[in-house]
Amino acid sequence: MAKVPYTVPALDDLPTVPRIKPGAMSELKSYVAVAAHQEPLGFPGELVENWEQAAVAKMGELLGKYKSLRVYLDMCVKCGACTDKCHYFLGSGDPKNMPVARQDLMRDIYRYYFTPTGKVLGSLVGAKPWTKERLDDWYNYFHQCSQCRRCSLFCPYGIDTAEISMAAREIMDSIGLGQKYCNEIIGKVHKIGNNLGLPEPALVNTLEGLEEDVLDATGHAVKFPLDVEGAEVLFVTPSADFFAEPHVDGLIGYAKVFHQMGLSWTMSSYASEAGNFGMFIGNYEQMRKIAMRIREAAIQLKVKRIVFGECGHAWRVAYAFLNSLAGPFDFLDPRYPVPQHIMELTRGAILSGAIKLDSSANADKVVTVHDSCNIARATRMGPEPGSQFEYPRFVLQAACPKFVDMHPDATRERTFCCGGGGGLLTDELIDIRIKGAKPRVEALRDVVEQHGVTHMASMCAICKSQFTKVLPYYGYEMGMVQSVHQLVSNAILLGGNS
Ligand code: SF4
Ligand code: SF4
């Protein structure tokens, strides 16, 4: 691939609002999907001739279907509270990366075609018709939104730019202007079962290799079971866990937890992906098809529970939509939540004494944690409010003797996106990915300098991939990024719990 140009912004002290740089990111364009990526998903192969009318018709359909979309487009009072809350604006200075400006790309069109004042008064009330330039702005800037929802936290009306961005992508797909990265991946899941297109024999080889590695390293026959009928737990994890670093070390950690608990579990070659990129393109039908693979695998393997591994958007889809998309799950054991997060399972095992951790195994590290935006602002991990923050911290503090939180403005519900979520984890977008990571890296630098932090734990496959790629641009080593269950893996006592 040709080298993609990028610049690395200088880090500032938190919080700093950048100088406005109009048009700074206007030329940054994600690769457009071709017919081979579009048509298998039921989308037109290329931009249709009558795209303006088709886009207006699709927008009308979505406005009828999603009442929140119309409310968000009507409600903004231009108070400006969201303007400096997006990591892509903070990193790039491009005013169109302000959440309200991103929303306005759709709001202007909405006013022109769907409001009486817009139809009569046009640009006097900010209503604008479709033009090719406007469509280009839609494509570029709605693919510079990671759908992290940080802006909605600060909006007095809770206007959710993520939902507007999802709707925009759904409209663009419907007129033949899809994004290659997301749509190619969704096609792979439909065809093969996972985002990476990893076929079953490769999966079997990988898991067998891991069993040998863990046996060599620990002397314990920890299993990585695949397609075992009658197992208690179906475990669904992002496919990056099967080979990428540090993801695979997290997979080893999950396996050790199951092993030590004596809990029978299995992964599925049919549903070998927890991620669900259907959400990134705002398409419930694609989301449903991907989610149905998990239901079908659970039925086929006759499991009693479904547990998810570390992945932010996968957990958001699972937590918020799995039951409505692929339920009812009345064939599972009603004593357990459907689905359950691995963090809840591990925390419960620590509390009950089913597993024991020796935190001295991580004594060489000072650890902080990155709250993934999809987990932080869209889910819980247990029944209590805030469990999505407390459970990972409990597990990390049990596994690591030295734990430090980053600044409160950059953690928990205020967490900054890693910069690579929402369908942006693709090489041609590296420039905005680097810039979008800036606020997180500033908060990280703060605890490195103040507290000697050496490692940042993450509970999301996309965050791990993004950070291992972009941290080196800011002078940090990719090995600084750890899976939460990698740290558990280091500390867990196998065998007699002594
Ligand atoms: S990336 Fe996040 S903060 Fe920025 S506009 Fe999108 S949802 Fe809002
Ligand atoms: S904070 Fe909400 S109301 Fe204020 S400008 Fe942003 S989107 Fe509009």
Side-chain angles (χ1 to χ4, degrees):
M1 197 184 113
K3 192 166 166 19
V4 182
Y6 63 84
T7 56
V8 182
L11 298 178
D12 297 306
D13 293 329
L14 278 172
T16 304
V17 180
R19 285 181 178 278
I20 302 285
K21 296 179 201 154
M25 306 311 294
S26 61
E27 299 301 319
L28 187 73
K29 183 170 184 168
S30 191
Y31 294 149
V32 174
V34 296
H37 310 130
Q38 289 281 98
E39 287 169 354
L41 308 191
F43 305 141
E46 59 182 36
L47 190 63
V48 296
E49 267 186 33
N50 64 336
W51 65 266
E52 297 99 322
Q53 295 99 306
V56 172
K58 186 70 181 178
M59 191 187 284
E61 181 195 320
L62 298 190
L63 289 167
K65 232 173 20 176
Y66 312 136
K67 299 297 177 210
S68 54
L69 183 63
R70 189 184 285 273
V71 170
Y72 292 155
L73 294 174
D74 280 333
M75 199 183 243
C76 174
V77 294
K78 299 288 190 288
C79 70
C82 64
T83 51
D84 60 348
K85 303 303 185 294
C86 176
H87 48 294
Y88 294 122
F89 169 67
L90 293 173
S92 72
D94 188 325
K96 284 189 180 159
N97 273 324
M98 291 176 177
V100 60
R102 204 185 309 283
Q103 298 163 20
D104 278 353
L105 292 172
M106 183 178 283
R107 190 170 283 121
D108 298 349
I109 300 279
Y110 163 72
R111 284 190 177 138
Y112 189 87
Y113 295 99
F114 294 97
T115 65
T117 47
K119 282 177 187 165
V120 175
L121 298 173
S123 60
L124 287 175
V125 291
K128 291 179 188 160
W130 272 120
T131 61
K132 186 65 178 58
E133 291 70 34
R134 199 139 194 90
L135 184 62
D136 288 343
D137 265 1
W138 264 49
Y139 188 81
N140 293 359
Y141 286 103
F142 283 123
H143 288 102
Q144 292 180 35
C145 169
S146 57
Q147 304 170 343
C148 77
R149 307 182 77 213
R150 189 170 195 268
C151 48
S152 71
L153 188 74
F154 295 89
C155 172
Y157 302 100
I159 295 173
D160 188 350
T161 320
E163 276 199 34
I164 294 173
S165 152
M166 289 170 192
R169 293 186 192 181
E170 189 170 10
I171 291 166
M172 288 189 281
D173 269 323
S174 77
I175 61 172
L177 187 62
Q179 188 216 27
K180 174 179 183 281
Y181 175 64
C182 280
N183 291 359
E184 186 176 24
I185 281 178
I186 293 170
K188 279 187 206 163
V189 181
H190 293 332
K191 208 165 153 191
I192 302 168
N194 56 65
N195 290 0
L196 299 174
L198 207 62
E200 186 182 339
L203 199 52
V204 171
N205 273 346
T206 303
L207 298 178
E208 284 175 358
L210 288 175
E211 286 184 359
E212 286 167 20
D213 292 348
V214 176
L215 183 61
D216 286 349
T218 68
H220 290 272
V222 174
K223 296 292 173 202
F224 291 75
L226 186 68
D227 295 332
V228 177
E229 201 177 301
E232 167 121 358
V233 171
L234 170 63
F235 184 65
V236 194
T237 205
S239 53
D241 281 357
F242 297 126
F243 80 101
E245 289 283 352
H247 313 57
V248 70
D249 301 297
L251 176 60
I252 293 170
Y254 316 140
K256 287 182 180 175
V257 170
F258 286 122
H259 172 88
Q260 192 60 18
M261 288 178 74
L263 184 56
S264 71
W265 67 296
T266 186
M267 291 172 278
S268 159
S269 58
Y270 179 70
S272 48
E273 179 60 66
N276 193 326
F277 276 33
M279 186 178 73
F280 295 160
I281 64 167
N283 188 300
Y284 284 86
E285 183 50 25
Q286 299 303 324
M287 255 206 295
R288 192 188 68 79
K289 272 177 81 176
I290 295 170
M292 283 302 287
R293 294 181 79 96
I294 296 170
R295 176 189 175 82
E296 287 158 18
I299 292 171
Q300 190 196 8
L301 295 171
K302 301 185 176 66
V303 297
K304 298 193 178 76
R305 306 163 61 176
I306 300 174
V307 176
F308 272 70
E310 295 179 6
C311 183
H313 85 276
W315 183 240
R316 177 169 170 185
V317 176
Y319 180 89
F321 302 116
L322 189 67
N323 281 282
S324 51
L325 289 171
F329 286 93
D330 46 4
F331 56 91
L332 297 174
D333 187 333
R335 290 176 299 166
Y336 300 100
V338 183
Q340 188 174 31
H341 198 283
I342 186 71
M343 213 70 75
E344 185 183 13
L345 186 113
T346 300
R347 172 183 173 271
I350 295 169
L351 284 171
S352 70
I355 62 171
K356 287 206 164 32
L357 305 183
D358 173 9
S359 66
S360 68
N362 290 311
D364 56 333
K365 304 176 185 70
V366 183
V367 176
T368 191
V369 66
H370 166 71
D371 292 292
S372 298
C373 46
N374 276 308
I375 294 172
R377 286 186 285 268
T379 74
R380 290 180 188 173
M381 285 179 176
E384 312 92 0
S387 49
Q388 71 273 35
F389 310 125
E390 300 313 328
Y391 286 16
R393 283 168 175 77
F394 175 88
V395 170
L396 282 168
Q397 284 170 327
C400 308
K402 289 169 255 174
F403 175 83
V404 178
D405 243 322
M406 285 184 268
H407 194 282
D409 281 342
T411 49
R412 300 177 185 251
E413 65 272 18
R414 291 180 169 226
T415 188
F416 282 104
C417 173
C418 63
L424 275 72
L425 195 74
T426 177
D427 286 347
E428 72 270 21
L429 293 182
I430 191 66
D431 194 23
I432 194 71
R433 285 171 53 194
I434 294 170
K435 291 179 168 67
K438 179 175 176 271
R440 166 50 71 228
V441 180
E442 284 163 352
L444 176 63
R445 183 185 63 171
D446 180 51
V447 287
V448 168
E449 291 178 355
Q450 302 291 327
H451 302 283
V453 161
T454 58
H455 291 83
M456 178 169 64
S458 164
M459 58 199 102
C460 170
I462 286 180
C463 301
K464 292 170 203 173
S465 299
Q466 160 74 351
F467 285 134
T468 49
K469 180 86 177 180
V470 302
L471 280 186
Y473 290 105
Y474 288 103
Y476 295 104
E477 289 181 6
M478 61 170 68
M480 186 176 199
V481 186
Q482 303 268 298
S483 299
V484 173
H485 276 78
Q486 175 178 7
L487 296 160
V488 172
S489 172
N490 296 344
I492 192 167
L493 298 176
L494 297 175
N497 264 352
S498 59

